[in-house]
Amino acid sequence: MTREAIQAEEPTMTEREVSDWWATGVTRIAPGEIELRGYPVEQLIGTASFVDVVWLLLRGELPDPRQARLLEAALLASVDHGPQAPSIAAARMAVTCGVGLNNAVASGVNLLGDVHGGAGQQCMEVLAAVRDRHRAGEELADVAADVVAEHRADHRYVPGFGHRFHPRDPRRDPLLGLVADAVHSGVVAGEHLAAAEALERALAAGRTRPVPMNIDGATGVIYAELGFTPELGRGLFVLARSVGVLAHAWEERQGGARIKGPIPRRLLASYTGPATRPVPER
């Protein structure tokens, strides 16, 4: 049977079936009209902040100003960590190859996976598990000790704790201070904060040096307290870090360098293969 015959036998799709193909509750557009979750964009402009609209699009409603303040703090704290971060380095390297800023930003963002950029989501999953066991009646300190012991037995880091550069991440205290204030004022419940602090104490037990929360742990607490899922927690980190990726790519563009590799040109990567040898006759 020919393609034309097959198509002739198939029922014709209605206009509604076609328009429902990408049905969405996020945005409505019509000639001269744009609505975000039902709010006319012209009314949001100048009255709502960017963070308000991030919350609106992800959650469906505008946030309480206190919720927006917490979300903004987490996003701000995550924007950048310097060119030694692989995502930033990749974007800077990409832009020296003549690609556009969009390509450079995409190059950097695409490096944000489970190892580099995924600890916040992983931490949120751990915090939820600790919270659930505590809700079921277990002592919080005991649950935290179990989780730490399990990770150590498997030779795994507890995600969201410790930092390879900072003895104490400078972003930890102000972020957790804001969460504590939000708990006190009834904006958030504080269960994830309590779980994170219990893990921090369990990690420090028996050690001469503590293992404080890092940016992934602190922002993970905020995103979890605000009701975002772990996967959305990673998405929000990617959104925030995109700002730093863009800034570094733009800075590198202004420098005018071409085709910068991973190490300075006068240096070569160490070679570990066989010594020089002739190709055997065949």
Side-chain angles (χ1 to χ4, degrees), residues 77-281:
S78 304
V79 292
D80 189 26
H81 198 249
Q84 74 280 355
S87 53
I88 301 294
R92 296 188 74 121
M93 196 182 308
V95 83
T96 69
C97 296
V99 301
L101 282 176
N102 59 313
N103 302 101
V105 171
S107 296
V109 167
N110 280 336
L111 264 66
L112 297 173
D114 289 341
V115 175
H116 173 45
Q121 176 180 351
Q122 295 154 11
C123 181
M124 291 174 69
E125 291 166 350
V126 171
L127 295 179
V130 172
R131 177 208 58 190
D132 291 346
R133 288 177 60 180
H134 180 52
R135 281 181 176 178
E138 296 185 62
E139 290 293 330
L140 192 55
D142 294 338
V143 177
D146 285 349
V147 170
V148 169
E150 290 167 3
H151 279 75
R152 285 175 175 166
D154 293 337
H155 304 288
R156 292 181 292 137
Y157 293 110
V158 179
F161 296 83
H163 202 287
R164 66 185 184 278
F165 290 119
H166 307 297
R168 187 178 184 86
D169 194 317
R171 299 162 290 190
R172 176 205 179 279
D173 293 349
L175 290 176
L176 295 190
L178 289 173
V179 179
D181 291 344
V183 173
H184 181 72
S185 60
V187 178
V188 297
E191 291 181 300
H192 295 89
L193 174 62
E197 291 177 333
L199 286 169
E200 199 171 55
R201 290 190 293 270
L203 281 163
R207 294 174 55 94
T208 56
R209 294 179 59 188
V211 186
M213 263 177 274
N214 56 33
I215 182 64
D216 300 305
T219 55
V221 167
I222 289 178
Y223 295 146
E225 289 287 353
L226 290 175
F228 291 97
T229 65
E231 188 172 8
L232 270 180
R234 182 184 299 203
L236 288 167
F237 172 77
V238 171
L239 175 65
R241 184 52 58 90
S242 296
V243 178
V245 172
L246 174 61
H248 278 275
W250 180 243
E251 180 183 62
E252 194 66 55
R253 169 81 82 218
Q254 304 314 297
R258 290 169 54 86
I259 315 179
K260 287 178 70 172
I263 57 177
R265 292 184 180 90
R266 66 186 185 86
L267 300 176
L268 296 176
S270 299
Y271 174 68
T272 60
T276 303
R277 51 184 173 171
V279 177
E281 296 183 4

Side-chain angles (χ1 to χ4, degrees), residues 32-90:
E33 300 177 8
I34 304 172
E35 292 182 357
L36 306 179
R37 299 286 192 184
Y39 292 109
V41 72
E42 65 271 19
Q43 294 179 24
L44 292 170
I45 295 171
T47 60
S49 71
F50 179 71
V51 171
D52 289 335
V53 175
V54 169
W55 183 293
L56 172 65
L57 293 185
L58 294 178
R59 302 288 286 275
E61 296 294 341
L62 287 166
D64 178 289
R66 299 169 299 177
Q67 294 172 321
R69 181 176 179 234
L70 263 185
L71 178 58
E72 182 175 33
L75 293 172
L76 182 153
S78 304
V79 292
D80 189 26
H81 198 249
Q84 74 280 355
S87 53
I88 301 294

